[in-house]
Amino acid sequence: MKTNNPGDQVLHAFNSQVIHFDLKNDNHVVIDIAKEHLPSITRYIRDLGGRLFTMVGSDELNIRGDFSLYYVFAFDKDQSLITVRVSVSEQEPGFPSVTDDLPSANWYEREVYDLFGLEPVGHPHLSPLVLHGDWPEGIYPMRKDFPANMKLPRMKNRDQFMNYEGEGVTQIPVGPIHAGIIEPGHFRFGAVGDTVLHLDARLFYTHRGLEKVSEGVSINKALFLAERICGVCALSHAVSFAQAIERIGKIKVPARAEYLRMLFLEMERLYNHIGDVGNVCAGIGFSFGVSQGAILKEKLMQLNEKLTGHRYLRGITTIGGVRLEFNHDDKILMEKTLGDVRREFEKFVGIMMSHEIVSDRMTSTGRLTREQVEEIGTVGPAARASGRNIDVRKSHPYLLYDQIDFSVPVLTTGDVLARVQQRIEETYQSFAIIGQILNQLPEGPIQTRVGEIPAYQWDMGWTESARGENVHWVMTGPDQTVYRYRVRSAAYSNWPAVALAVPGNIVPDFPLINKSFELCYACCDR
């Protein structure tokens, strides 16, 4: 282990409280402590510069005799990780909440309470998150004794929204059923006139239970499920899952396969970013921008289909590599298509950003500060547009991104305009990354043999999707199966930011603000 790195400092500071520690690798220390020490150690890690990467609840009654909570912290400057594990017994299912000191833990702790019945004692707002208020009390679907196919009667809804008092204050409910083709989400505004005072955002209306369904299935079937968490970042989720299994099994992926994974991950980023720049124009009625974004996105998705057989890049990834080859004709086709798309994108951006009304509507709208995005754990372009320099391709390099020369744009104003400009700048970086990959692509195999995967071991895989980092935590079971699978998507981290960005703006600006984040509902309804 590196001398005086964060893991060393934590072990030294909490030596007497540490029950056990283990090294996943030189950059990842795992520390077991009693649950009463959880607030003090997480506060110390936060003060060292650690940020909450993910948090996982796991029913390990039949292998350890308890439930486990894993709080994973990332240190971006040191490229290291610290996992703090605590045991929670079935007889005493409470544990001290850390949300007051670490607001980014809010959703994680509420979800653990919903799905496992483990209570974060002292949580400032312990309302239902995933299951909503009509789920029967005392039944926890992520416990191992809950059958995945069980159907339960719904109860009287106990959901509560903020009560607004005062003259002229009105509530404006929107959704969960929407006029357009959109997944279900409920947004309740408290407003005076058309100025928003507060926004409640309620999601998880179509939660599919994919983490529950994955229990006991083969790792290959689980990879199939991972690709279907979300349509627009299917490859990001697939590669994240594959990397977790590859780390557990100590599987060395061939260099050519890693380059091909990077190539198509950047293609996934490209079609999302270009499409999102067009989509944001719908929030201000700029039809030209909507059309141009859709046309260019379609060209990229048709290219995906020609090269891989799938518009959304499903079916590329396998454990230990990739399933498809990439030949010289593919390279020529990609270079020509991307060259055309880039030229058209530059023209589109030039027209859009020079349009006075477009610029006026986006400037100072839906602003988030750096302090806000850091406090609640925002990731991806939304975080970088507010000055938070965070991109796991750089801070926690995976695949062969450390052999590619690229920069991570970081803006500071944190408004809609910044989030759009952020995507534009990242689009140009992706064009450059793809060019380097095509020039550096080595010869060699695209898959490696996968041996026996050890049971009851866990590890993580992560990728920087178009919306931010997706983190997949996997514990294996016997016979090449999945014991526990936890997905922390970028959307899961970023939805709370939308509720912070809206107050102080007018109601008609909500569609514009919401589209500037371009978040996915399905990534939460996993």
Side-chain angles (χ1 to χ4, degrees), residues 17-252:
Q17 286 87 37
V18 172
I19 298 170
H20 177 74
F21 79 92
D22 186 26
L23 297 179
K24 284 278 179 199
N25 53 55
D26 287 346
N27 294 317
H28 188 178
V29 61
V30 182
I31 300 170
D32 282 38
I33 61 167
K35 63 183 182 182
E36 58 265 25
H37 300 306
L38 184 61
S40 58
I41 194 169
T42 55
R43 191 180 306 120
Y44 183 84
I45 291 173
R46 177 204 65 190
D47 292 344
L48 281 180
R51 63 181 178 89
L52 189 59
F53 201 42
T54 190
M55 184 269 217
V56 181
S58 179
D59 179 350
E60 299 174 9
L61 289 169
N62 60 350
I63 56 175
R64 302 179 63 115
D66 59 15
F67 296 94
S68 291
L69 298 177
Y70 299 84
Y71 287 77
V72 184
F73 292 87
F75 288 82
D76 297 321
K77 291 182 180 179
D78 297 272
Q79 298 187 356
S80 64
L81 299 166
I82 294 176
T83 293
V84 178
R85 178 195 169 273
V86 299
S87 296
V88 182
S89 70
E90 188 174 16
Q91 295 73 31
E92 297 181 7
F95 65 96
S97 170
V98 303
T99 295
D100 270 338
D101 287 329
L102 203 67
S104 57
N106 176 15
W107 274 25
Y108 294 103
E109 293 188 339
R110 290 166 64 193
E111 182 170 341
V112 161
Y113 186 47
D114 277 2
L115 301 183
F116 292 91
L118 307 179
E119 181 179 359
V121 179
H123 191 286
H125 185 61
L126 194 55
S127 60
L129 180 73
V130 176
L131 298 179
H132 293 192
D134 59 351
W135 182 267
E137 294 186 84
I139 297 177
Y140 308 110
M142 282 303 295
R143 292 192 177 190
K144 295 296 184 184
D145 59 4
F146 183 93
N149 60 355
M150 179 181 288
K151 295 183 179 180
L152 297 173
R154 293 290 174 160
M155 312 297 288
K156 181 179 179 180
N157 200 316
R158 305 179 302 279
D159 280 349
Q160 294 181 349
F161 293 91
M162 178 175 286
N163 292 319
Y164 302 102
E165 299 178 355
E167 185 176 353
V169 181
T170 59
Q171 291 190 47
I172 307 172
V174 179
I177 306 302
H178 296 266
I181 301 173
I182 184 174
E183 297 167 88
H186 181 78
F187 305 97
R188 184 166 299 215
F189 302 85
V192 175
D194 60 1
T195 299
V196 180
L197 301 177
H198 180 265
L199 171 64
D200 262 330
R202 185 65 53 86
L203 307 174
F204 304 98
Y205 281 93
T206 55
H207 198 278
R208 295 161 289 169
L210 294 182
E211 292 176 1
K212 183 69 178 181
V213 172
S214 69
E215 292 179 355
V217 307
S218 70
I219 57 174
N220 288 323
K221 176 65 179 295
L223 174 60
F224 180 88
L225 293 174
E227 284 189 317
R228 280 145 186 84
I229 291 169
C230 169
V232 294
C233 45
L235 183 60
S236 172
H237 284 300
V239 173
S240 295
F241 176 84
Q243 288 184 129
I245 297 298
E246 287 155 4
R247 287 191 174 101
I248 293 170
K250 295 180 170 52
I251 299 165
K252 177 62 176 174

Side-chain angles (χ1 to χ4, degrees), residues 24-25 28 53 81 239-253 258 261 319-320 392 396-400 452-454 457-463 470-474 476:
K24 284 278 179 199
N25 53 55
H28 188 178
F53 201 42
L81 299 166
V239 173
S240 295
F241 176 84
Q243 288 184 129
I245 297 298
E246 287 155 4
R247 287 191 174 101
I248 293 170
K250 295 180 170 52
I251 299 165
K252 177 62 176 174
V253 178
E258 295 206 308
R261 285 180 177 181
I319 307 300
V392 290
H396 298 273
Y398 54 95
L399 302 177
L400 295 172
E452 189 70 21
I453 307 296
Q457 302 295 311
W458 67 266
D459 217 313
M460 297 180 296
W462 53 83
T463 52
N470 289 324
V471 182
H472 289 223
W473 189 102
V474 184
T476 51

Side-chain angles (χ1 to χ4, degrees), residues 333-472:
L333 174 63
M334 179 174 277
E335 288 176 333
K336 181 182 184 309
T337 305
L338 293 187
D340 293 342
V341 168
R342 174 165 184 154
R343 285 188 290 273
E344 293 179 38
F345 181 67
E346 288 173 346
K347 293 178 184 177
F348 160 38
V349 168
I351 295 171
M352 174 185 174
M353 301 307 285
S354 64
H355 196 292
E356 185 177 350
I357 295 177
V358 173
S359 177
D360 181 66
R361 284 293 306 279
M362 295 192 295
T363 301
S364 300
T365 303
R367 179 168 283 169
L368 282 176
T369 66
R370 178 174 175 175
E371 291 73 23
Q372 285 175 310
V373 299
E374 288 180 346
E375 186 172 72
I376 64 174
T378 308
V379 298
R384 294 188 285 271
S386 291
R388 191 183 196 199
N389 190 352
I390 175 176
D391 186 320
V392 290
R393 292 176 298 174
K394 288 286 190 181
S395 63
H396 298 273
Y398 54 95
L399 302 177
L400 295 172
Y401 274 109
D402 56 355
Q403 298 183 26
I404 299 293
D405 181 23
F406 68 101
S407 62
V408 178
V410 179
L411 303 178
T412 58
T413 55
D415 55 6
V416 171
L417 182 62
R419 289 188 283 275
V420 172
Q421 290 174 326
Q422 183 71 39
R423 287 187 177 86
I424 292 169
E425 293 303 316
E426 292 188 17
T427 296
Y428 294 134
Q429 288 296 318
S430 286
F431 280 123
I433 291 170
I434 290 171
Q436 290 180 65
I437 292 171
L438 292 176
N439 290 330
Q440 297 177 18
L441 185 63
E443 297 297 326
I446 59 172
Q447 294 182 21
T448 192
R449 179 182 174 276
V450 177
E452 189 70 21
I453 307 296
Y456 306 118
Q457 302 295 311
W458 67 266
D459 217 313
M460 297 180 296
W462 53 83
T463 52
E464 185 74 24
S465 78
R467 287 156 181 77
E469 61 197 30
N470 289 324
V471 182
H472 289 223

Side-chain angles (χ1 to χ4, degrees), residues 282-294:
I284 49 181
F286 188 52
S287 299
F288 167 81
V290 179
S291 299
Q292 289 301 302

